[in-house]
Amino acid sequence: MQTVQSDFILVSDRRADASFLIHHYLSFYLRAGCKVCFLGLVQSFSHYSAVGQRLGVSLAQAREKGQLVFLEGLKESFGVLLQDTSQETQPLSYLRSPGAGLEGLFRFVESCVRQSGDGNAGESWGPPVLLIDDLSVLLSLGVSVGAILDFTLYCQATVCSELQGNMVILVRCEEEDADDDEEGSNLLQRGLVHQCNLALHVEGLPTGYCRDIHGQMEVWWRQRGETIYNQRKIFHFKVHDKGASFFARGTSSAVL
């Protein structure tokens, strides 16, 4: 699944797990030599590292070389909550005052993607990439949908527009009949769809469990400068240990 510079890719799921796409993009951009800023808000570094090993990339080596900057939300949150005083410049300062917004988190992202392209071993990295897994967890911590959308707009302006990099963000959606008119994850997903130029939505099969097909992925994309999505396709998929197979209607499988 190839991308070009200045893409904002939204990954969302409902009744299914789209994490395999985050692991794919992480390994893809590291292999491509990009500088990656990864906000891991729901899993530990060891989790992503173990999956990365199966996909043929070493996250530990990438971090040591300076190619990968990883914010481990689970670990960092303890330090913020146990502090006696609040520091608004900290990435996770919103844990103490959710209503204050996500300026600290944006400043962290901005400093990462603006860092010199030279790695610790004198290597030069490609355009910056911002990955977030999973953005919707901020809603359960009291951050408003509006504050999250402001944060992604600032990130998009810096990473995609100014630095010609890419963003990949995962959001988990509630059931369609959930009461989320005000501050739910479905509202957040709809807002992000208007910002991104490629949307990948993963769902379970409407017919239920199937051994050979794990779910379906709906893809929307639009050309640069377009305000509406002018192309849409639906694929079935099956996840493997080292990737996934996609089945378009009437075609054979394509391996990710």
Side-chain angles (χ1 to χ4, degrees):
M1 191 174 296
Q2 302 295 318
T3 64
V4 296
Q5 290 185 16
S6 67
D7 266 347
F8 177 4
I9 303 168
L10 173 65
V11 178
S12 59
D13 61 29
R14 179 184 288 113
R15 301 189 310 274
D17 187 0
S19 297
F20 68 94
L21 291 171
I22 292 294
H23 296 298
H24 160 72
Y25 280 114
L26 176 59
S27 61
F28 170 78
Y29 285 120
L30 289 177
R31 286 195 188 97
C34 297
K35 177 66 178 289
V36 178
C37 175
F38 190 1
L39 307 184
L41 303 179
V42 295
Q43 297 285 358
S44 66
F45 179 81
S46 59
H47 166 79
Y48 298 105
S49 181
V51 178
Q53 290 286 354
R54 294 203 301 267
L55 298 178
V57 295
S58 173
L59 271 59
Q61 290 182 5
R63 187 164 64 171
E64 289 174 2
K65 293 188 298 184
Q67 182 185 9
L68 171 65
V69 177
F70 184 86
L71 176 68
E72 189 166 345
L74 294 174
K75 180 183 294 184
E76 296 292 332
S77 60
F78 287 107
V80 174
L81 294 173
L82 293 176
Q83 284 182 347
D84 295 331
T85 58
S86 174
Q87 299 182 25
E88 295 184 357
T89 56
Q90 286 188 335
L92 304 186
S93 58
Y94 60 83
L95 290 172
R96 281 184 164 272
S97 52
L102 300 171
E103 181 179 357
L105 190 59
F106 170 71
R107 295 303 177 195
F108 174 82
V109 171
E110 185 180 36
S111 66
C112 290
V113 298
R114 290 189 186 279
Q115 285 175 0
S116 170
D118 294 332
N120 296 338
E123 300 179 62
S124 181
W125 310 126
V129 176
L130 171 63
L131 279 83
I132 306 179
D133 177 17
D134 118 49
L135 192 63
S136 54
V137 75
L138 299 180
L139 295 172
S140 63
L141 298 173
V143 184
S144 68
V145 170
I148 297 175
L149 293 176
D150 287 343
F151 166 73
T152 54
L153 276 174
Y154 277 107
C155 290
Q156 185 177 18
T158 302
V159 177
C160 300
S161 300
E162 181 180 348
L163 301 177
Q164 294 296 292
N166 298 297
M167 291 169 50
V168 182
I169 294 178
L170 172 64
V171 172
R172 302 197 182 280
C173 300
E174 302 165 356
E175 294 294 332
E176 292 180 343
D177 58 352
D179 184 12
D180 66 332
D181 290 339
E182 295 183 357
E183 291 295 314
S185 59
N186 291 341
L187 179 62
L188 174 61
Q189 190 252 5
R190 290 194 294 268
L192 292 171
V193 164
H194 288 290
Q195 295 180 10
C196 71
N197 57 299
L198 174 63
L200 310 174
H201 182 67
V202 173
E203 283 197 352
L205 291 173
T207 54
Y209 173 78
C210 177
R211 184 182 61 182
D212 297 322
I213 301 177
H214 292 161
Q216 66 182 27
M217 183 174 71
E218 191 169 3
V219 182
W220 304 277
W221 70 97
R222 55 187 169 192
Q223 303 298 327
R224 300 192 184 283
E226 297 289 335
T227 57
I228 61 173
Y229 288 92
N230 49 21
Q231 300 188 67
R232 173 179 175 270
K233 287 187 177 181
I234 297 179
F235 300 89
H236 289 161
F237 68 87
K238 181 176 182 180
V239 179
H240 309 287
D241 286 342
K242 296 185 178 181
S245 298
F246 288 88
F247 305 84
R249 293 175 179 173
T251 66
S252 58
S253 63
V255 178
L256 175 67

